[in-house]
Amino acid sequence: MERTRQSAQVSLPFLIASAITLGMLVLTVVLIGQSFRGMEAAKVSAASAAARQLAISVDDRIHAITAPPSTALAVLSHDALGDAENLEQRLERLPVLADILASSDIVSAVYAGYPDGDFVLLRKVLSSGTLQFPDAPEGTRYLLQTITHSREGVPGEWRFYNADMKPLEQRSVPGYRYDPRTRPWYSKARGSETTELSAPYLFFTTQETGITLSRRAATATADAGAVYGIDVTVTDLSRQLAELRQTPDTRIAIVNRDQQVLADSGNRQQPGPAISQVLSGNGDIVDGSPVSLFSAEGKDWYGMAESLDALENEGLRIVVAIPSDELLAEVWQALARQTVIAGVIALLLLVIGWFLGRQVGRPLEHLTNQVGRLSRFRFDTPVRSDSHIREARQLSVALDDMARTIRSFQSIATVLNRGQDLNNLLRDILEQIVHIVGQARGGIYLFSRQHQQLTLAVNQNLTLPATIESVSSDDDDSDIIRLLRQQISGNPVFAVLRNRRKRLIGVLTIEMEHGDNTQLSDDLIVFVDEIAGSAAVAIETRELIESQQALLEGIIRLVANAIDAKSPYTGGHCERVPKLAQMLVDEAIQSDSRAFRSFSMTEEQLQEFHLAAWLHDCGKITSPEYVVDKAVKLETIHNRIHEIRTRFEVLHRDVEIEYLSKQLSGEDEALARQEREQAWQDLQDDFAVIARANHGGEFMAEADIAEIRRIGKRTWQRHFDDRLGLTPDEQEALTGIPEAPLPASEQLLADKPEHLRPWGEHLPPVRKDDPRNQWGFDMSLPEYAYNRGELHNLTIARGTLTPEERFKINEHIVQTICMLDALPLPDRLAKVPRLAGTHHERMDGKGYPCGLSAEDMGIPERIMAVADVFEALTAVDRPYKEGKTLTESLTILDRMADEGHIDRPVFELFIRSGVYRRYARQFLKPEQIDEVDERLFMKQD
């Protein structure tokens, strides 16, 4: 039954209360909004004025920094230090430099540079409140740094003095390389007759931020004579800026025209996010003011910038950024107070309006509450009204009858939706339909297309024939009912069950023997037919689900068998692992050991695990066969040892030709023959070395690798063009590589550029930082997709696979997860990709593809890993190894458990339960099944 919902209605008390208070609320909101905008504009204007005043203060401070040192430098330009020709004469003028340093806290160093590259500098050891030279002798006040090229030995020297200019220590500093002639302050002052001021920069030795005032000596010319310099730090500007902040989180910075930070209230070396936004001008201008509004660091800011007059050639600006919430804190407090007052008034008016509305709407409220129970799906509550209004009382009676009818339909809907097993579903459907009609007996027949008959599926207290023969799917309902009436006695009513495509699926019959319904009516027949239609849909859906489940199982086994059939060396792996994993899961569920005491799986979880086990290697369908089946190092689609042997044949023939040429030229025939035999033997020996190396092993010594590389350096002559008859892929690999003229001399073994195959557009998303990586993969990716270099392959230390091929093998688990994740799996199978894709993870987090650890994996994932490893160890169909015995396999698994590769509780359950023996009897060869001492592997308490 379909019920039409009306749109939501407004209650009468609420409507009256709203009408009274609406006008007041609108007026309040408008007034508060206007008040807020006015206060906001005032605060922004005040902030702009404060920024301008701050710029004036900073200008005054910069002038105060540069004026005293400029005066001192003008006096120093007349000192005899400029004419001193050696270090001894310059040392005599140190008191003058010390007086200049002592006269100002901001002067950090005084120095002089000479045309020959000599340099003398006196600086304070304690500058800007920081000890710049922690390794200075105790009591050091000044450091003298000198470079004197006329002195023997190391030209750079450092001398340490106390406050009275008494020497404390002298050091030779070979690494002190400083040429004043290359510095901007020297070159600017050399060509000027006045004091020059540099842009702020980092000082050479102390890395402080400051400026340099420089002036040439009074006796110097533009081409000769000393140049004086004074370093002035501007570090205290940052501290001053911090003191001038309007709010705790205000950002203030001084930047030059290149947007380099010269001073910052937070002592930053680079512009912060807020300062950068002001400099970029990305914000919105506030009401035509120089203030902009922008977002940074997760909140809103007001920003402004003012130019500084000081150092006008540097284009200095002071930049201020103030958090919006701090600048407008007082505004929001005032707004909150106004809002509270308005809210109290609105609440008072709302209460008054509600009281008046209740008085008007009370007669209607009682009926509304009764009907509201139905709207809340409370069909089990009787609907009654004691209203004296006749229409209201009649309405309540009708609604009560409707509620009882709906309760009956709820019962059958629950049965149709929750039924799982088809037989139980049919039984529940029959019981509910019989109850709705008010009868006690009935039955359901299902149609068999194969036998063209109706077969009794469910019977409730009724004597019915087991089958109804001679029923065709093409018969219409009236023919089927006529046939049923001939074979079923009594007073039954029939409903033919058809699916969505109108195909016959069965018949419902109910024996009418109670109440008024014993007399069949058209209305009753139509009702039973319609209610049985929903049952037909439920039956069809359940049959479809069961058939789809069977189809899914078949497809999964088909994929697994296709993977096994793809390679003759891995046949049966995708079938054996699920069976072994299922054995272990069953044992884990039954186990009462501490590790598995709380472990259980529902029927759906078992089905999910079963499918994941069958699909755990479905990604191998993308793995190249010649990589999976690679039995020797030089194998690609074929074993390239034959190509190398052909080159040896060429060299063998070259030796014969050389021998014959020597005979023709009259050389000693015996000696030539001896050289030929020796050369042939060397070729045989070298080829044997390569042939042995072609077979992968557990370990390849460095000496063997060196021998392979030695043999590979031998050359042979190629007389044919190696670019003829190539595939497009081979031709593309040679793009950009110049062709060698013929005859070409080539190495016997080589790693050529054409052996490399880049990833191109097929780069797999396995790196952790790859934006395409939505699965959490964390794998190392080789530089190339393939490297078929002969030396690269022959010098593989272990096994037969290169790192590129090893990744290609490991990538199958990535493809497994990606393929399964792309399937539209229902919620009950949502974990299939994870269960299938974690059997190569390790308990210690060193596995792949996601690097999960034991804490990230449940018992099913750990079981899958043990099953996969044990099957691989005992398999006898691999080209690169022989199947191991039970003891050998369990010993390896025991070591892997100790190393954190597999889970030890699962491994010991594997042994304790005897699963390994049951599996061995089914799948292992008799010679692999040896006597196992299980005590050797049981280490858990």
Side-chain angles (χ1 to χ4, degrees), residues 810-825:
N810 293 345
E811 191 194 11
H812 83 274
I813 199 67
V814 172
Q815 296 299 330
T816 293
I817 295 175
C818 294
M819 291 167 62
L820 295 180
D821 192 56
L823 293 177
L825 295 172

mmCIF file with all atom_site columns, all heavy atoms in Angstrom, residues 810-825:
data_model
loop_
_atom_site.group_PDB
_atom_site.id
_atom_site.type_symbol
_atom_site.label_atom_id
_atom_site.label_alt_id
_atom_site.label_comp_id
_atom_site.label_asym_id
_atom_site.label_entity_id
_atom_site.label_seq_id
_atom_site.pdbx_PDB_ins_code
_atom_site.Cartn_x
_atom_site.Cartn_y
_atom_site.Cartn_z
_atom_site.occupancy
_atom_site.B_iso_or_equiv
_atom_site.pdbx_formal_charge
_atom_site.auth_seq_id
_atom_site.auth_comp_id
_atom_site.auth_asym_id
_atom_site.auth_atom_id
_atom_site.pdbx_PDB_model_num
ATOM 1   N N   . ASN A 1 810 ? 56.667 -8.807  -7.744  1.00 0.00 ? 810 ASN A N   1
ATOM 2   C CA  . ASN A 1 810 ? 55.999 -8.292  -6.548  1.00 0.00 ? 810 ASN A CA  1
ATOM 3   C C   . ASN A 1 810 ? 54.789 -7.438  -6.899  1.00 0.00 ? 810 ASN A C   1
ATOM 4   O O   . ASN A 1 810 ? 53.856 -7.302  -6.103  1.00 0.00 ? 810 ASN A O   1
ATOM 5   C CB  . ASN A 1 810 ? 56.978 -7.473  -5.705  1.00 0.00 ? 810 ASN A CB  1
ATOM 6   C CG  . ASN A 1 810 ? 58.082 -8.337  -5.116  1.00 0.00 ? 810 ASN A CG  1
ATOM 7   O OD1 . ASN A 1 810 ? 57.981 -9.564  -5.094  1.00 0.00 ? 810 ASN A OD1 1
ATOM 8   N ND2 . ASN A 1 810 ? 59.138 -7.712  -4.633  1.00 0.00 ? 810 ASN A ND2 1
ATOM 9   N N   . GLU A 1 811 ? 54.799 -6.843  -8.098  1.00 0.00 ? 811 GLU A N   1
ATOM 10  C CA  . GLU A 1 811 ? 53.711 -5.953  -8.485  1.00 0.00 ? 811 GLU A CA  1
ATOM 11  C C   . GLU A 1 811 ? 52.398 -6.706  -8.647  1.00 0.00 ? 811 GLU A C   1
ATOM 12  O O   . GLU A 1 811 ? 51.332 -6.087  -8.668  1.00 0.00 ? 811 GLU A O   1
ATOM 13  C CB  . GLU A 1 811 ? 54.079 -5.228  -9.780  1.00 0.00 ? 811 GLU A CB  1
ATOM 14  C CG  . GLU A 1 811 ? 53.134 -4.089  -10.133 1.00 0.00 ? 811 GLU A CG  1
ATOM 15  C CD  . GLU A 1 811 ? 53.301 -3.600  -11.560 1.00 0.00 ? 811 GLU A CD  1
ATOM 16  O OE1 . GLU A 1 811 ? 54.002 -4.277  -12.349 1.00 0.00 ? 811 GLU A OE1 1
ATOM 17  O OE2 . GLU A 1 811 ? 52.726 -2.564  -11.893 1.00 0.00 ? 811 GLU A OE2 1
ATOM 18  N N   . HIS A 1 812 ? 52.475 -8.030  -8.730  1.00 0.00 ? 812 HIS A N   1
ATOM 19  C CA  . HIS A 1 812 ? 51.217 -8.751  -8.919  1.00 0.00 ? 812 HIS A CA  1
ATOM 20  C C   . HIS A 1 812 ? 50.265 -8.510  -7.750  1.00 0.00 ? 812 HIS A C   1
ATOM 21  O O   . HIS A 1 812 ? 49.047 -8.500  -7.924  1.00 0.00 ? 812 HIS A O   1
ATOM 22  C CB  . HIS A 1 812 ? 51.488 -10.256 -9.072  1.00 0.00 ? 812 HIS A CB  1
ATOM 23  C CG  . HIS A 1 812 ? 51.651 -10.984 -7.769  1.00 0.00 ? 812 HIS A CG  1
ATOM 24  N ND1 . HIS A 1 812 ? 52.860 -11.074 -7.112  1.00 0.00 ? 812 HIS A ND1 1
ATOM 25  C CD2 . HIS A 1 812 ? 50.763 -11.644 -6.984  1.00 0.00 ? 812 HIS A CD2 1
ATOM 26  C CE1 . HIS A 1 812 ? 52.703 -11.769 -5.999  1.00 0.00 ? 812 HIS A CE1 1
ATOM 27  N NE2 . HIS A 1 812 ? 51.441 -12.125 -5.892  1.00 0.00 ? 812 HIS A NE2 1
ATOM 28  N N   . ILE A 1 813 ? 50.813 -8.278  -6.557  1.00 0.00 ? 813 ILE A N   1
ATOM 29  C CA  . ILE A 1 813 ? 49.934 -8.048  -5.415  1.00 0.00 ? 813 ILE A CA  1
ATOM 30  C C   . ILE A 1 813 ? 49.296 -6.675  -5.516  1.00 0.00 ? 813 ILE A C   1
ATOM 31  O O   . ILE A 1 813 ? 48.161 -6.458  -5.095  1.00 0.00 ? 813 ILE A O   1
ATOM 32  C CB  . ILE A 1 813 ? 50.728 -8.215  -4.103  1.00 0.00 ? 813 ILE A CB  1
ATOM 33  C CG1 . ILE A 1 813 ? 49.765 -8.444  -2.945  1.00 0.00 ? 813 ILE A CG1 1
ATOM 34  C CG2 . ILE A 1 813 ? 51.643 -7.049  -3.835  1.00 0.00 ? 813 ILE A CG2 1
ATOM 35  C CD1 . ILE A 1 813 ? 49.023 -9.744  -3.009  1.00 0.00 ? 813 ILE A CD1 1
ATOM 36  N N   . VAL A 1 814 ? 50.038 -5.707  -6.101  1.00 0.00 ? 814 VAL A N   1
ATOM 37  C CA  . VAL A 1 814 ? 49.467 -4.375  -6.346  1.00 0.00 ? 814 VAL A CA  1
ATOM 38  C C   . VAL A 1 814 ? 48.312 -4.493  -7.335  1.00 0.00 ? 814 VAL A C   1
ATOM 39  O O   . VAL A 1 814 ? 47.232 -3.923  -7.147  1.00 0.00 ? 814 VAL A O   1
ATOM 40  C CB  . VAL A 1 814 ? 50.549 -3.409  -6.870  1.00 0.00 ? 814 VAL A CB  1
ATOM 41  C CG1 . VAL A 1 814 ? 49.924 -2.093  -7.316  1.00 0.00 ? 814 VAL A CG1 1
ATOM 42  C CG2 . VAL A 1 814 ? 51.605 -3.175  -5.809  1.00 0.00 ? 814 VAL A CG2 1
ATOM 43  N N   . GLN A 1 815 ? 48.550 -5.242  -8.409  1.00 0.00 ? 815 GLN A N   1
ATOM 44  C CA  . GLN A 1 815 ? 47.500 -5.421  -9.406  1.00 0.00 ? 815 GLN A CA  1
ATOM 45  C C   . GLN A 1 815 ? 46.311 -6.171  -8.820  1.00 0.00 ? 815 GLN A C   1
ATOM 46  O O   . GLN A 1 815 ? 45.155 -5.907  -9.174  1.00 0.00 ? 815 GLN A O   1
ATOM 47  C CB  . GLN A 1 815 ? 48.068 -6.172  -10.622 1.00 0.00 ? 815 GLN A CB  1
ATOM 48  C CG  . GLN A 1 815 ? 49.149 -5.418  -11.373 1.00 0.00 ? 815 GLN A CG  1
ATOM 49  C CD  . GLN A 1 815 ? 48.646 -4.114  -11.936 1.00 0.00 ? 815 GLN A CD  1
ATOM 50  O OE1 . GLN A 1 815 ? 47.476 -3.981  -12.276 1.00 0.00 ? 815 GLN A OE1 1
ATOM 51  N NE2 . GLN A 1 815 ? 49.533 -3.128  -12.024 1.00 0.00 ? 815 GLN A NE2 1
ATOM 52  N N   . THR A 1 816 ? 46.582 -7.116  -7.923  1.00 0.00 ? 816 THR A N   1
ATOM 53  C CA  . THR A 1 816 ? 45.495 -7.840  -7.267  1.00 0.00 ? 816 THR A CA  1
ATOM 54  C C   . THR A 1 816 ? 44.581 -6.879  -6.531  1.00 0.00 ? 816 THR A C   1
ATOM 55  O O   . THR A 1 816 ? 43.348 -6.912  -6.675  1.00 0.00 ? 816 THR A O   1
ATOM 56  C CB  . THR A 1 816 ? 46.068 -8.881  -6.283  1.00 0.00 ? 816 THR A CB  1
ATOM 57  O OG1 . THR A 1 816 ? 46.750 -9.900  -7.024  1.00 0.00 ? 816 THR A OG1 1
ATOM 58  C CG2 . THR A 1 816 ? 44.954 -9.525  -5.469  1.00 0.00 ? 816 THR A CG2 1
ATOM 59  N N   . ILE A 1 817 ? 45.182 -5.993  -5.732  1.00 0.00 ? 817 ILE A N   1
ATOM 60  C CA  . ILE A 1 817 ? 44.384 -5.047  -4.946  1.00 0.00 ? 817 ILE A CA  1
ATOM 61  C C   . ILE A 1 817 ? 43.641 -4.091  -5.868  1.00 0.00 ? 817 ILE A C   1
ATOM 62  O O   . ILE A 1 817 ? 42.442 -3.811  -5.678  1.00 0.00 ? 817 ILE A O   1
ATOM 63  C CB  . ILE A 1 817 ? 45.290 -4.284  -3.965  1.00 0.00 ? 817 ILE A CB  1
ATOM 64  C CG1 . ILE A 1 817 ? 45.873 -5.264  -2.928  1.00 0.00 ? 817 ILE A CG1 1
ATOM 65  C CG2 . ILE A 1 817 ? 44.523 -3.173  -3.274  1.00 0.00 ? 817 ILE A CG2 1
ATOM 66  C CD1 . ILE A 1 817 ? 46.863 -4.630  -1.987  1.00 0.00 ? 817 ILE A CD1 1
ATOM 67  N N   . CYS A 1 818 ? 44.337 -3.552  -6.878  1.00 0.00 ? 818 CYS A N   1
ATOM 68  C CA  . CYS A 1 818 ? 43.698 -2.590  -7.786  1.00 0.00 ? 818 CYS A CA  1
ATOM 69  C C   . CYS A 1 818 ? 42.543 -3.236  -8.554  1.00 0.00 ? 818 CYS A C   1
ATOM 70  O O   . CYS A 1 818 ? 41.477 -2.635  -8.723  1.00 0.00 ? 818 CYS A O   1
ATOM 71  C CB  . CYS A 1 818 ? 44.724 -2.021  -8.761  1.00 0.00 ? 818 CYS A CB  1
ATOM 72  S SG  . CYS A 1 818 ? 45.994 -0.995  -7.979  1.00 0.00 ? 818 CYS A SG  1
ATOM 73  N N   . MET A 1 819 ? 42.756 -4.470  -9.044  1.00 0.00 ? 819 MET A N   1
ATOM 74  C CA  . MET A 1 819 ? 41.714 -5.146  -9.810  1.00 0.00 ? 819 MET A CA  1
ATOM 75  C C   . MET A 1 819 ? 40.492 -5.426  -8.941  1.00 0.00 ? 819 MET A C   1
ATOM 76  O O   . MET A 1 819 ? 39.348 -5.177  -9.347  1.00 0.00 ? 819 MET A O   1
ATOM 77  C CB  . MET A 1 819 ? 42.267 -6.441  -10.406 1.00 0.00 ? 819 MET A CB  1
ATOM 78  C CG  . MET A 1 819 ? 43.299 -6.224  -11.512 1.00 0.00 ? 819 MET A CG  1
ATOM 79  S SD  . MET A 1 819 ? 44.211 -7.736  -11.930 1.00 0.00 ? 819 MET A SD  1
ATOM 80  C CE  . MET A 1 819 ? 42.890 -8.782  -12.497 1.00 0.00 ? 819 MET A CE  1
ATOM 81  N N   . LEU A 1 820 ? 40.734 -5.941  -7.724  1.00 0.00 ? 820 LEU A N   1
ATOM 82  C CA  . LEU A 1 820 ? 39.606 -6.282  -6.861  1.00 0.00 ? 820 LEU A CA  1
ATOM 83  C C   . LEU A 1 820 ? 38.909 -5.030  -6.347  1.00 0.00 ? 820 LEU A C   1
ATOM 84  O O   . LEU A 1 820 ? 37.690 -5.018  -6.168  1.00 0.00 ? 820 LEU A O   1
ATOM 85  C CB  . LEU A 1 820 ? 40.092 -7.135  -5.687  1.00 0.00 ? 820 LEU A CB  1
ATOM 86  C CG  . LEU A 1 820 ? 40.643 -8.510  -6.054  1.00 0.00 ? 820 LEU A CG  1
ATOM 87  C CD1 . LEU A 1 820 ? 41.100 -9.258  -4.818  1.00 0.00 ? 820 LEU A CD1 1
ATOM 88  C CD2 . LEU A 1 820 ? 39.593 -9.329  -6.795  1.00 0.00 ? 820 LEU A CD2 1
ATOM 89  N N   . ASP A 1 821 ? 39.691 -3.963  -6.094  1.00 0.00 ? 821 ASP A N   1
ATOM 90  C CA  . ASP A 1 821 ? 39.084 -2.730  -5.612  1.00 0.00 ? 821 ASP A CA  1
ATOM 91  C C   . ASP A 1 821 ? 38.201 -2.093  -6.677  1.00 0.00 ? 821 ASP A C   1
ATOM 92  O O   . ASP A 1 821 ? 37.280 -1.344  -6.368  1.00 0.00 ? 821 ASP A O   1
ATOM 93  C CB  . ASP A 1 821 ? 40.179 -1.752  -5.187  1.00 0.00 ? 821 ASP A CB  1
ATOM 94  C CG  . ASP A 1 821 ? 39.632 -0.566  -4.411  1.00 0.00 ? 821 ASP A CG  1
ATOM 95  O OD1 . ASP A 1 821 ? 38.960 -0.806  -3.398  1.00 0.00 ? 821 ASP A OD1 1
ATOM 96  O OD2 . ASP A 1 821 ? 39.859 0.571   -4.830  1.00 0.00 ? 821 ASP A OD2 1
ATOM 97  N N   . ALA A 1 822 ? 38.497 -2.373  -7.951  1.00 0.00 ? 822 ALA A N   1
ATOM 98  C CA  . ALA A 1 822 ? 37.697 -1.810  -9.042  1.00 0.00 ? 822 ALA A CA  1
ATOM 99  C C   . ALA A 1 822 ? 36.376 -2.551  -9.224  1.00 0.00 ? 822 ALA A C   1
ATOM 100 O O   . ALA A 1 822 ? 35.486 -2.047  -9.914  1.00 0.00 ? 822 ALA A O   1
ATOM 101 C CB  . ALA A 1 822 ? 38.498 -1.835  -10.344 1.00 0.00 ? 822 ALA A CB  1
ATOM 102 N N   . LEU A 1 823 ? 36.243 -3.733  -8.624  1.00 0.00 ? 823 LEU A N   1
ATOM 103 C CA  . LEU A 1 823 ? 34.999 -4.493  -8.763  1.00 0.00 ? 823 LEU A CA  1
ATOM 104 C C   . LEU A 1 823 ? 33.897 -3.881  -7.900  1.00 0.00 ? 823 LEU A C   1
ATOM 105 O O   . LEU A 1 823 ? 34.160 -3.422  -6.783  1.00 0.00 ? 823 LEU A O   1
ATOM 106 C CB  . LEU A 1 823 ? 35.222 -5.946  -8.338  1.00 0.00 ? 823 LEU A CB  1
ATOM 107 C CG  . LEU A 1 823 ? 36.141 -6.792  -9.222  1.00 0.00 ? 823 LEU A CG  1
ATOM 108 C CD1 . LEU A 1 823 ? 36.307 -8.180  -8.618  1.00 0.00 ? 823 LEU A CD1 1
ATOM 109 C CD2 . LEU A 1 823 ? 35.580 -6.907  -10.632 1.00 0.00 ? 823 LEU A CD2 1
ATOM 110 N N   . PRO A 1 824 ? 32.662 -3.867  -8.371  1.00 0.00 ? 824 PRO A N   1
ATOM 111 C CA  . PRO A 1 824 ? 31.552 -3.344  -7.558  1.00 0.00 ? 824 PRO A CA  1
ATOM 112 C C   . PRO A 1 824 ? 31.103 -4.376  -6.531  1.00 0.00 ? 824 PRO A C   1
ATOM 113 O O   . PRO A 1 824 ? 29.971 -4.893  -6.588  1.00 0.00 ? 824 PRO A O   1
ATOM 114 C CB  . PRO A 1 824 ? 30.471 -3.062  -8.615  1.00 0.00 ? 824 PRO A CB  1
ATOM 115 C CG  . PRO A 1 824 ? 30.731 -4.064  -9.705  1.00 0.00 ? 824 PRO A CG  1
ATOM 116 C CD  . PRO A 1 824 ? 32.225 -4.242  -9.746  1.00 0.00 ? 824 PRO A CD  1
ATOM 117 N N   . LEU A 1 825 ? 31.976 -4.694  -5.582  1.00 0.00 ? 825 LEU A N   1
ATOM 118 C CA  . LEU A 1 825 ? 31.673 -5.717  -4.599  1.00 0.00 ? 825 LEU A CA  1
ATOM 119 C C   . LEU A 1 825 ? 30.618 -5.219  -3.611  1.00 0.00 ? 825 LEU A C   1
ATOM 120 O O   . LEU A 1 825 ? 30.641 -4.044  -3.220  1.00 0.00 ? 825 LEU A O   1
ATOM 121 C CB  . LEU A 1 825 ? 32.935 -6.107  -3.833  1.00 0.00 ? 825 LEU A CB  1
ATOM 122 C CG  . LEU A 1 825 ? 34.041 -6.787  -4.659  1.00 0.00 ? 825 LEU A CG  1
ATOM 123 C CD1 . LEU A 1 825 ? 35.301 -6.927  -3.828  1.00 0.00 ? 825 LEU A CD1 1
ATOM 124 C CD2 . LEU A 1 825 ? 33.578 -8.147  -5.146  1.00 0.00 ? 825 LEU A CD2 1
#
